[in-house]
Amino acid sequence: MELYARVRHAVQIQGMSRRAAADQFGIDPRTVAKMLKFSVPPGYVRTKPPFRPKLDAFTGVIDAILAADKDRPKKQRHTSKRIFERLRDEHGFTGGITIVKDYITGWRQRTQEMFVPLAHPPGHAQADFGEAFGVIGGVERKIHFLAIDLPHSDAIFVVAYPAETTEAFCDGHVKAFEFFGGVPQSILYDNTKIAVARILGDGKRQRTRIFSELQSHYLFTDRFGRPGKGNDKGKVEGLVGYARRNFLVPIPAFESFEALNAHLVECCLKRQGDQLRGRDGTIRERLEHDLAVFQKLPAPYDACDKRPGRVNSLSLVRYRNNDYSVPTAHGHQKVLIRGYVHEVVISCEAEVIARHPRSYEREDFVFNPLHYLALLEQKTNALDQAAPLSDWVLPEAFATLRRLLEARMGKNGKREFVQVLRLMETFTLDDVAAAVVDAVERGAVGFDAVKHLVLCRIERRPPRLDMTIYPYLPKAVIATTSAHSYMDLLAGSEAEVTA
């Protein structure tokens, strides 16, 4: 550029001829003419498309292959190398692979999709699920997190779950609305099967029952992007990646999902103090515009998946490929199963008959030993092989009590032991265990004694065991002393003195 300016100054200011300037600066006179024509170097300008004698006859074939690839799976589309091989083998192409690659690169650049910048008024949201890995309770596993973004203010909410399920979808919305303190006017989704049962021919969506319930409760408007077009909800798509890179790196390690979600809430709140590029004010300040047009927050929605079921002959109910126990008194009855994120609740008519921690394994059995004690009281021979009791960890005093009962009462001792276990249907394990320890120490081995001691412990009164009303307790037998026995005793004492 310095030479360019010196040549122009010599000719136009100092009056030097073009030929003299060419000789002095050692350049071609035609170059001097171009320097005088343009004040700055114009760069290389092509006046007509390049001539490709070997490739031009085959560009139509390449265009057709690339156009057809748009409707094919991404992993089965033509590479530049594969197109070159087809041109060579099927169409007699004699050129090299480089000109084919250059043409395909230019074609793909020219046909890339373009987008229109969007404006986002306050009061609207976008939602999507993402995936990451984390360590929960010492076990590395995949976690699924629901991300909700408010495009106007860029305020966000992220919550993690064991799986991307209907109940997680609903629970995430309930928590997000509580976090923001209101309900958005509309929410934009992809075509997740949790919300969309079918896409009809005219492009309308048939909603799922659970999503319709959620929408009816909070009264927000739903919007759906085009299938396979993530850019329709680009804000939340970007949020999924942002949350994974910034909130979940390094791989998080927490004792429970509750602890992980507390961390995520803290991250979302901390981010509200940031001011993003091109925005006037922080995220927290802009969030006020969203909240001003949000709808009022109603009572929380019961975020669960409801399914009918029936109790089988093993007193089990199947939900999501896992079996959960119920009391044997409800065998073969119809029940309603409500699956929450971390709990399964089973009801018969209007009564809740069982609650279990949610299992995300496959073909798992989740037992509550108390559900089977009433049946085991009748079928005591099954006590030692009962699967619901195999993993039931009880204090050592219970095993001691059972040994004493069976030693003194035989088979009836098993039944009496089950009756002691059934006390935990009403009382806590700590109270019953303390009563068992007390009974063993007192030598009052029996159901009635343990029950009496439990009640005394709860009512905080001293135990008074009347042996006449506990026929199964061991008794001390005291015989009446006769006069003959007394005389024998005196005779034995006199003999000892004489000796």
Side-chain angles (χ1 to χ4, degrees):
M1 186 64 197
E2 181 181 354
L3 176 62
Y4 201 95
R6 289 168 56 196
V7 172
R8 286 176 54 80
H9 187 275
V11 175
Q12 296 186 351
I13 303 301
Q14 298 178 4
M16 187 180 297
S17 67
R18 296 184 181 183
R19 182 171 296 278
D23 293 339
Q24 180 175 338
F25 294 103
I27 57 178
D28 192 273
R30 290 173 294 183
T31 303
V32 175
K34 291 180 181 179
M35 290 179 173
L36 297 177
K37 185 176 181 181
F38 302 100
S39 60
V40 294
Y44 178 76
V45 180
R46 187 182 293 275
T47 58
K48 59 182 180 180
F51 179 59
R52 296 167 299 207
K54 291 189 176 182
L55 183 66
D56 284 344
F58 300 93
T59 56
V61 177
I62 298 174
D63 292 347
I65 292 174
L66 293 173
D69 268 357
K70 289 188 174 182
D71 300 326
R72 301 289 186 268
K74 286 187 177 181
K75 294 184 179 181
Q76 285 185 269
R77 295 179 181 177
H78 287 78
T79 62
S80 298
K81 178 176 177 293
R82 183 62 186 136
I83 292 177
F84 165 73
E85 291 172 348
R86 288 192 61 187
L87 292 176
R88 181 194 61 196
D89 300 339
E90 299 176 17
H91 301 278
F93 177 67
T94 59
I97 191 174
T98 302
I99 56 174
V100 175
K101 284 184 174 181
D102 292 343
Y103 179 81
I104 293 173
T105 300
W107 188 93
R108 286 174 174 160
Q109 289 177 345
R110 293 191 302 272
T111 57
Q112 281 185 343
E113 186 176 2
M114 300 298 292
F115 304 99
V116 177
L118 301 178
H120 299 284
H124 301 276
Q126 299 178 5
D128 196 12
F129 265 103
E131 296 179 353
F133 282 91
V135 178
I136 306 297
V139 179
E140 183 171 337
R141 58 175 298 166
K142 181 182 288 187
I143 59 176
H144 302 257
F145 59 92
L146 179 68
I148 295 184
D149 182 272
L150 306 182
H152 175 78
S153 62
D154 292 294
I156 62 173
F157 178 75
V158 181
V159 59
Y161 295 101
E164 184 179 343
T165 59
T166 298
E167 53 273 20
F169 179 85
C170 295
D171 185 75
H173 281 71
V174 173
K175 285 183 167 57
F177 298 156
E178 291 176 353
F179 175 79
F180 291 124
V183 181
Q185 297 179 8
S186 73
I187 304 178
L188 177 62
Y189 303 94
D190 58 13
N191 294 279
T192 172
K193 292 183 179 179
I194 297 175
V196 179
R198 288 178 59 197
I199 300 179
L200 305 178
D202 56 357
K204 294 182 179 179
R205 271 70 173 176
Q206 179 180 336
R207 280 77 171 169
T208 60
R209 177 189 58 81
I210 192 72
F211 181 72
S212 297
E213 289 181 4
L214 180 71
Q215 189 178 22
S216 175
H217 186 86
Y218 287 106
L219 300 177
F220 60 86
T221 302
D222 58 22
R223 295 181 294 134
F224 297 96
R226 295 169 295 169
K229 296 292 184 180
N231 56 282
D232 285 356
K233 51 182 180 59
K235 280 285 188 178
V236 75
E237 291 283 350
L239 170 58
V240 168
Y242 176 88
R244 186 186 297 114
R245 293 187 302 270
N246 293 273
F247 300 166
L248 301 173
V249 173
I251 290 179
F254 292 92
E255 286 299 317
S256 64
F257 276 94
E258 289 77 8
L260 171 59
N261 286 330
H263 163 73
L264 293 175
V265 168
E266 183 180 347
C267 292
C268 294
L269 289 172
K270 182 179 179 181
R271 184 176 179 273
Q272 289 184 5
D274 296 343
Q275 181 172 347
L276 303 186
R277 178 178 178 273
R279 304 290 190 182
D280 50 345
T282 64
I283 294 175
R284 185 176 291 108
E285 293 169 348
R286 294 176 60 83
L287 178 59
E288 296 299 326
H289 303 159
D290 280 317
L291 297 178
V293 294
F294 270 19
Q295 301 166 169
K296 291 184 179 179
L297 192 64
Y301 174 73
D302 188 22
C304 66
D305 176 32
K306 303 181 184 71
R307 298 190 180 187
R310 183 182 289 274
V311 183
N312 65 16
S313 60
L314 298 177
S315 198
L316 295 171
V317 175
R318 183 160 296 176
Y319 175 71
R320 296 281 183 89
N321 295 318
N322 294 319
D323 292 311
Y324 298 86
S325 68
V326 299
T328 54
H330 299 279
H332 305 286
Q333 296 183 11
K334 293 182 178 180
V335 294
L336 175 65
I337 310 164
R338 286 179 290 164
Y340 295 87
V341 173
H342 299 296
E343 186 181 36
V344 174
V345 179
I346 304 171
S347 304
C348 184
E349 296 180 350
E351 178 188 4
V352 174
I353 61 174
R355 292 178 181 272
H356 291 280
R358 175 74 179 273
S359 173
Y360 285 92
E361 304 297 329
R362 292 185 63 85
E363 301 179 1
D364 193 13
F365 291 91
V366 183
F367 294 114
N368 183 343
L370 299 178
H371 292 164
Y372 293 89
L373 295 180
L375 185 60
L376 285 171
E377 188 178 354
Q378 304 171 24
K379 300 183 177 183
T380 55
N381 289 335
L383 180 61
D384 294 322
Q385 292 182 288
L389 274 62
S390 61
D391 296 326
W392 196 14
V393 179
L394 294 173
E396 184 62 27
F398 282 88
T400 304
L401 177 67
R402 180 180 176 182
R403 286 195 300 270
L404 294 174
L405 285 170
E406 292 183 4
R408 294 176 179 176
M409 304 175 62
K411 184 176 180 180
N412 288 332
K414 279 188 178 182
R415 182 169 285 107
E416 190 108 345
F417 178 68
V418 174
Q419 290 174 348
V420 172
L421 295 179
R422 291 195 66 185
L423 290 173
M424 286 183 282
E425 295 174 351
T426 306
F427 307 107
T428 66
L429 172 61
D430 291 340
D431 288 335
V432 177
V436 169
V437 171
D438 196 7
V440 171
E441 291 176 349
R442 292 171 179 269
V445 181
F447 164 70
D448 290 332
V450 174
K451 181 178 180 181
H452 174 75
L453 293 170
V454 170
L455 292 173
C456 290
R457 176 182 173 84
I458 293 174
E459 296 170 2
R460 297 186 177 182
R461 57 183 174 86
R464 299 179 62 183
L465 292 174
D466 185 353
M467 308 302 288
T468 62
I469 62 175
Y470 295 105
Y472 296 106
L473 298 182
K475 300 178 181 179
V477 179
I478 303 175
T480 303
T481 304
S482 64
H484 182 271
S485 299
Y486 182 71
M487 293 303 294
D488 289 342
L489 180 63
L490 289 177
S493 299
E494 291 176 356
E496 290 177 2
V497 171
T498 302

